Structure formats: C-alpha cells, structure tokens
Amino acid sequence: MKEFILASQSPRRRALLEMAGIQFTALSSHMSEETDKDNPKERVAELSARKAQAVFLPHPDAIVLGADTVVSFKGRIFEKPETEDEAFEMLCSLRENTHRVYTGCTFIYADKEGLVRTVTHVEETDVYVGKATDEQLRAYIASGEAMDKAGAYGVQGRFCSYVKSVHGDYFNVVGLPVYYVAHELDRIRKELGD
C-alpha cells in the first residue's frame, strides 16, 4: 500500500486525520506561500497544489495531500494575522457578519502506469460570527489562540462561543474537509488497487 503523506505541519489537520482513523505521515513542504492570486478559490487551489508538489517530488511513490485555508470577507482574504492589531481588525470585521472559509485540497500520486495524477478540490463553508465586544475580542487575542489561524480565529477553540452558525463542512473551518479527503483517498486507493 502506498504511503499517504500530508504536506502540512498543521496540528489541526493532523488531529483531524487522526480522528478519522486515517494512517498518514506529516511532512512540511517548506515552500513560500506568496501568490499573486486575489481570488480565494484560485489562491487555495494554487497553494495546495504547490505544497503537494513540493513533497511529492522527493516522495514519488506516495499519495500526497497538500492543503491551504483562507477566510474571505467582502472581497478581502484574511490569512494568519501578523500582529495582534491585525487580528483585532480582522475579528472586528467578521463579527455580526457571514464570511466564507475556503480550503484547497490537492492530491498528487502516480497511477498504475506511472503517470502523475493531480486532483484539486476547493471546499467552501459559510460562517456567521455573532456579537462580541471589543474587550472580548482583545481577551481572545491575548490568549494567543488567534495568531496562527486564518481569519484570526479557531472555531474549535475559545472562539466557538462567538460562532453562531456554520453552513457547510464544519471541519473545513478547522482546516481540512475530512469527508472529501477520506472519500477521495479511498477512491484513489481503489484506482491503484491498494
């Protein structure tokens, strides 16, 4: 059976795969996340593919999954904040509004004939953030939880008390659409006769 490699060091993505009972190895792609794509769907598709490619090249016998997540609101892309002030600005924009979370997932693998196959999918989930005071948002940021997450929040952490609704794949908001990943990996393994 081909090794399955997650091209990410994200603890949330690793935890989701572990929770689903999927055997994998996690490796960092060590690549720049710079891109000129302003469209969130195009951005996550490109970056997930680049991450997968960077790990697949030295591991051509594996099935590799690259992933990238961004938050989008009113035409702006919110990635990980660089400062606490930036995190506060993001969260102020998101409160009492609906935003969209995009995760690009790219599988790369060699088929039975040795041809390299690339499959990219973009999952979209709408999230409504309810009321939160400036003081509550500052306290959340001070917890440190906001700084390593797209959009400056983690739906699975302390910020859950401000998330009123999620329409679509909840796990996509955490960082990986598990249903899609599990079923696509199963399809690939069947194609390969694994």
Side-chain angles (χ1 to χ4, degrees), residues 3 5 25 27 53-64 108-109:
E3 179 182 22
I5 300 176
T25 303
L27 296 174
Q53 185 71 28
V55 171
F56 180 76
L57 287 172
H59 300 91
D61 294 327
I63 299 168
V64 177
I108 300 182
Y109 61 98

Side-chain angles (χ1 to χ4, degrees), residues 36-148:
D36 60 358
K37 297 279 192 286
D38 292 329
N39 177 293
K41 286 179 80 166
E42 293 174 5
R43 185 184 199 95
V44 297
E46 177 188 303
L47 291 176
S48 68
R50 282 175 33 200
K51 290 175 182 178
Q53 185 71 28
V55 171
F56 180 76
L57 287 172
H59 300 91
D61 294 327
I63 299 168
V64 177
L65 170 65
D68 190 73
T69 302
V70 298
V71 166
S72 178
F73 177 65
K74 291 188 176 178
R76 282 185 62 200
I77 293 175
F78 294 174
E79 296 184 278
K80 296 173 187 175
E82 294 186 11
T83 66
E84 289 190 357
D85 285 342
E86 185 182 10
F88 182 69
E89 182 208 337
M90 286 181 187
L91 294 177
C92 285
S93 297
L94 298 180
R95 70 179 161 192
E96 296 188 74
N97 283 299
T98 298
H99 64 273
R100 185 162 286 176
V101 178
Y102 296 84
T103 300
C105 295
T106 299
F107 283 92
I108 300 182
Y109 61 98
D111 68 13
K112 288 180 179 180
E113 286 74 44
L115 297 173
V116 176
R117 301 289 182 194
T118 302
V119 181
T120 298
H121 167 79
V122 176
E123 192 77 28
E124 301 176 33
T125 305
D126 288 333
V127 179
Y128 180 79
V129 176
K131 294 179 181 179
T133 66
D134 287 0
E135 293 74 23
Q136 288 170 323
L137 295 181
R138 292 270 187 211
Y140 173 69
I141 293 164
S143 76
E145 195 178 278
M147 300 310 293
D148 70 335

